[in-house]
Amino acid sequence: MPAGTYTIIIADVNGCTTSFTQETNTASAPLVLTEPIPIAVGSFDTRNVTCLGDTDGTVNVVINGGNLFDPTGLTLIDINNGTATFPNPTQISANEFRWTNLAPSNYRVTITDSKGCTLQDVSPWSNSSFDITQPAL
């Protein structure tokens, strides 16, 4: 290719796309493509409910890999009640988010980063699920 400015659009099999513009002044100016580290849950820090029947459980989720994250790209799903979802957690840091007022249940998190890439996990949700429990009677 001759020297010039090029816009490159890249798409993967999951439909994640990115684009960038690169100027090359000479044939020796290489174009280097990199990809983000796959999205993964780094940790779940849970606090179980304090009394039987309460809904004061919390979870902090730390995300590794991917691109930038914001609360609108994360949703918590109650696996025991699939219709119960909890979007838009509180953002604690660039890659840590918190949900509060959770009832005892089994939950999983869905994550989409700023480039539209998603956490790849399948049932039984071994990489994206956690439990909130309650004390016995």
Side-chain angles (χ1 to χ4, degrees), residues 40-45 59-64 96:
V41 174
S43 66
F44 291 113
D45 180 16
V59 63
N60 283 18
V61 177
V62 175
I63 305 168
N64 294 333
E96 184 175 2

Side-chain angles (χ1 to χ4, degrees), residues 13-85:
V13 296
N14 297 315
C16 294
T17 62
T18 188
S19 65
F20 61 93
T21 301
Q22 175 75 33
E23 182 175 340
T24 59
N25 295 326
T26 67
S28 64
L31 177 63
V32 178
L33 301 177
T34 60
E35 65 179 324
I37 298 169
I39 298 170
V41 174
S43 66
F44 291 113
D45 180 16
T46 60
R47 185 174 59 96
N48 295 319
V49 298
T50 53
C51 296
L52 186 66
D54 280 355
T55 58
D56 61 350
T58 64
V59 63
N60 283 18
V61 177
V62 175
I63 305 168
N64 294 333
N67 297 286
L68 298 175
F69 299 98
D70 71 69
T72 62
L74 285 81
T75 300
L76 197 61
I77 299 169
D78 185 335
I79 294 173
N80 298 333
N81 176 3
T83 61
T85 60

